[in-house]
Amino acid sequence: MVIRENKAAAPEIAEENTRAKILNAAGEVFAEQGFEGATVRAITERAGVNVAAVNYHFRDKAELYTRVVVDACSVRAAFREAIAEGTDSPEERLRSLIHRFLEYLLDPNRPGWKRRLMAREMANPTTALDELVKNNIQPFRDEFLIPTLRQLTGGCFSRRQLGYIGSSIMGQCLYFLQSRPIIERLVPDFKIDKSDITEIADHITRFSLAAIAELTRQARRS
Amino acid sequence: MVIRENKAAAPEIAEENTRAKILNAAGEVFAEQGFEGATVRAITERAGVNVAAVNYHFRDKAELYTRVVVDACSVRAAFREAIAEGTDSPEERLRSLIHRFLEYLLDPNRPGWKRRLMAREMANPTTALDELVKNNIQPFRDEFLIPTLRQLTGGCFSRRQLGYIGSSIMGQCLYFLQSRPIIERLVPDFKIDKSDITEIADHITRFSLAAIAELTRQARRS
DNA sequence: CTCACTTTCAAACAAACGTTTTAAACTGTC
DNA sequence: GACAGTTTAAAACGTTTGTTTGAAAGTGAG
C-alpha cells in the first residue's frame, strides 16, 4: 500500500508541472493584457508548453482565466486568522485591521501579477469579484471593521454613518492598489516594499483615528 | 466668400453625424468590453453605420479608442474654473475641492459610459491616462489640494506627510469611482445621484477636516 | 448638367484566434 | 514486453477580426 501511495503521487507532480507553468504564465499575461487581449499562444509560449495544453488541462480559455483570477484574489490563510485575532483596544484593533488589509492588497512577496489582476478584476468584474467580495472584503468590513468603528465611536453614529466612515478607511487603503498607475505618474520612482506598507498603514491609521476621535467629540458635544 | 462659408459648414454637420454616432457607440462598447473585447462590428452595429466607416473617419480602431477615452477623461470646463475660484477659508476651500472632484468623477448627468471608461483607464492605462493625470489630477493635487492642506495644517507637516494626507482624501473620493463594482456587491441598491454626491462629499469633508484638525493639534502638542 | 470631392457600402482580404483532431511519446502496472 | 491510460505536439479547422478595396451614392460648385 505504501508503494502504491508513492506511485499515485508521482504523476500528480508531473501533471502539476505543465499545469502550474500554464497558471503562472497565464497570470502574468492576463494581468498585462486582460482576458481578451491575452492569447492562448502568448500564454503557452511564455509557459514553454504547447498551445493544445490549455485545452488539455482546462476546459477552455475562460476556465483558465477564472481559475487564475480566483487564485489571485483568494485570501491568504494568514489574513483571515490575523484579522480574527483579538487585540487589546479598539484603537489597536483598527491599526491591526488596516495593516492586515494593506498587506493583503499589497503584499510585495506575492507575484506582482496577482496584485495587478486583482486590480483589474475590481475594475472589470467577472464572477471572481463576487467571490472576492463575499469571502474577503465583506467579512473584513462587516465582521471586523464596522464593529470596531462602532466601539471606537461609542454608539454616536448611525449604521449609515458608520458605513461612510468604513468606506473612508477602505478607500484610503484601496487607493494604493487601484490608483497605482496614477500614483506612479504623480510620484516618480514610487514603489512599495515592506516598510512602505507599514508607513502607509501607520498614516492611514493615524489619519483615521484622528478623524474618528474628532468626529466623536463633535457628536458628543451636540 | 460668405457663400463658401455656408457651404463649408454643411458637410461638416453631415460628417459629424456619422462620426458622432460612432464615437458614442464606441464609448459604450469600449466601456462594457474594453479595447480588445470591443469589436469594430459591434460598435458600428450599435451606431447604425457601415463597418468601413470606422476606417474612413478614424485611422484605425486604436485611434477611435484613444479619442473616446481622452474625451471621457477630459476636464469639464466648469471643473477647472470651479476649483480655481477663491473661497473664504481653507476649510471652505477644501470642502469645495472635494465637492468638485467628486462631481468630476461621478457626474450623473454625464453618460455612464464615460465614468466607466475613466475607471477602466485607471486600471488598465493607455496614453490617455498620462493626459488625465497631467491635465486634471496633478493640477488638482499640486496646485489646489496640497496648498490648501498646507494652510489648514499651518506648516506642521512635511511635504511627504502632506502628500499622504492628500492621498487619504483622494483615496476616499476615488473609492466611489473605482470600487463601484465592490460597493454594489456590498450595498444592495447602491446608486449615485446628485444628492448622493453631496452627501458623500459632505462626509469626506467632515472626516478629513476632523482628521486634519486632530492631527494638527497633536503635532502642535509635541 | 458636369465635375470633383466626400461619404457610404458590400465584398473581399489576410491574419489571428480558440479549439479540435490525430498520432506519437511518455508513464506506470502487470 | 504488452497494455492502458496520460500527456504532448503539430497540423488543421472554422470562425472572427480589423482593414482594404472598388464602386456606387451623395453633395455642392460652376
Side-chain angles (χ1 to χ4, degrees):
Chain A
M1 272 301 218
V2 177
I3 295 177
R4 187 170 276 276
E5 185 83 58
N6 283 337
K7 298 287 175 62
E12 293 262 11
I13 292 173
E15 175 186 328
E16 206 81 42
N17 200 1
T18 300
R19 190 182 154 88
K21 279 184 193 168
I22 295 174
L23 285 168
N24 276 300
E28 294 175 8
V29 179
F30 283 139
E32 289 162 21
Q33 324 263 6
F35 174 71
E36 303 280 357
T39 64
V40 172
R41 285 171 174 82
I43 291 165
T44 51
E45 201 172 301
R46 190 173 296 203
V49 302
N50 184 271
V51 67
V54 166
N55 294 94
Y56 180 79
H57 289 278
F58 307 91
R59 191 183 60 237
D60 53 20
K61 182 185 171 187
E63 184 187 285
L64 173 60
Y65 180 76
T66 299
R67 286 192 153 278
V68 167
V69 174
V70 167
D71 175 41
C73 301
S74 70
V75 68
R76 289 162 52 231
F79 177 51
R80 290 206 68 153
E81 288 163 18
I83 62 175
E85 278 171 12
T87 47
D88 293 340
S89 62
E91 284 83 7
E92 265 308 303
R93 189 164 183 72
L94 184 66
R95 171 184 302 277
S96 176
L97 288 177
I98 290 170
H99 275 250
R100 301 305 188 195
F101 193 48
L102 274 171
E103 273 167 5
Y104 165 64
L105 295 177
L106 304 176
D107 185 2
N109 295 324
R110 241 172 35 132
W113 65 258
K114 294 200 177 186
R115 199 192 63 237
R116 286 190 294 272
L117 249 190
M118 199 158 46
R120 263 189 188 271
E121 182 62 23
M122 290 177 184
N124 325 313
T126 66
T127 58
L129 187 65
D130 297 322
E131 286 216 27
L132 169 61
V133 172
K134 183 177 153 215
N135 292 336
N136 304 344
I137 298 188
Q138 187 150 42
F140 171 77
R141 176 180 175 271
D142 293 344
E143 292 169 35
F144 301 108
L145 181 61
I146 301 289
T148 302
L149 295 179
R150 188 172 286 116
Q151 278 189 300
L152 278 168
T153 53
C156 288
F157 296 110
S158 65
R159 276 178 54 88
R160 188 175 180 88
Q161 283 162 331
L162 288 181
Y164 272 123
I165 295 174
S167 66
S168 278
I169 292 168
M170 285 170 67
Q172 292 176 70
C173 296
L174 285 161
Y175 176 74
F176 291 94
L177 175 69
Q178 295 172 322
S179 297
R180 183 92 179 246
I182 294 178
I183 300 171
E184 283 169 348
R185 284 161 173 78
L186 289 174
V187 185
D189 302 319
F190 178 77
K191 57 158 190 63
I192 296 185
D193 60 31
K194 191 80 181 173
S195 62
D196 296 316
I197 295 185
T198 301
E199 182 174 6
I200 292 167
D202 285 344
H203 161 72
I204 294 173
T205 305
R206 254 192 328 265
F207 188 86
S208 304
L209 280 175
I212 290 160
E214 177 67 17
L215 286 183
T216 307
R217 215 160 19 238
Q218 290 169 12
R220 285 196 170 131
R221 248 190 258 134
S222 60
Chain B
M1 272 306 218
V2 176
I3 294 177
R4 186 168 279 275
E5 186 84 60
N6 283 337
K7 298 288 173 63
E12 291 264 14
I13 293 173
E15 172 187 328
E16 207 82 42
N17 201 2
T18 300
R19 189 183 155 88
K21 280 183 191 169
I22 294 173
L23 286 168
N24 277 299
E28 293 175 9
V29 179
F30 283 139
E32 288 162 21
Q33 324 264 9
F35 175 69
E36 304 280 356
T39 64
V40 172
R41 285 174 172 81
I43 291 165
T44 50
E45 201 175 300
R46 189 173 294 204
V49 302
N50 183 272
V51 67
V54 165
N55 295 94
Y56 180 80
H57 289 279
F58 307 91
R59 191 184 59 238
D60 53 19
K61 181 184 172 186
E63 184 187 284
L64 172 61
Y65 180 76
T66 300
R67 287 195 153 279
V68 167
V69 174
V70 168
D71 174 41
C73 300
S74 69
V75 67
R76 292 162 50 230
F79 176 49
R80 291 207 67 155
E81 288 164 18
I83 63 174
E85 279 172 10
T87 49
D88 292 340
S89 62
E91 283 86 5
E92 266 305 306
R93 187 164 183 74
L94 184 66
R95 171 185 302 276
S96 176
L97 289 177
I98 291 171
H99 274 251
R100 302 305 187 191
F101 192 50
L102 273 171
E103 274 167 4
Y104 165 63
L105 296 177
L106 303 177
D107 183 1
N109 294 324
R110 243 173 34 131
W113 65 259
K114 293 198 179 189
R115 197 191 66 238
R116 287 190 292 273
L117 249 189
M118 200 157 47
R120 263 189 187 271
E121 182 63 22
M122 289 177 184
N124 326 313
T126 66
T127 57
L129 187 65
D130 298 322
E131 287 216 22
L132 169 62
V133 173
K134 185 177 151 215
N135 292 337
N136 305 342
I137 297 188
Q138 187 151 45
F140 171 75
R141 176 179 174 269
D142 294 344
E143 293 168 33
F144 300 109
L145 181 61
I146 300 290
T148 301
L149 294 179
R150 190 172 286 116
Q151 279 188 299
L152 279 169
T153 53
C156 288
F157 296 110
S158 65
R159 279 178 52 87
R160 187 175 181 88
Q161 285 163 328
L162 288 180
Y164 273 123
I165 295 175
S167 66
S168 278
I169 292 169
M170 285 169 65
Q172 292 177 68
C173 297
L174 286 161
Y175 175 74
F176 291 95
L177 175 69
Q178 296 172 320
S179 296
R180 182 86 177 251
I182 294 178
I183 300 172
E184 284 169 348
R185 284 162 173 78
L186 289 175
V187 185
D189 302 319
F190 178 76
K191 58 156 189 67
I192 295 185
D193 61 31
K194 192 79 179 173
S195 61
D196 294 318
I197 296 184
T198 302
E199 183 174 4
I200 293 167
D202 285 343
H203 161 73
I204 294 173
T205 305
R206 255 192 326 269
F207 189 86
S208 303
L209 281 175
I212 290 162
E214 178 67 18
L215 286 183
T216 306
R217 215 160 16 238
Q218 290 169 13
R220 283 197 172 129
R221 246 186 259 134
S222 59

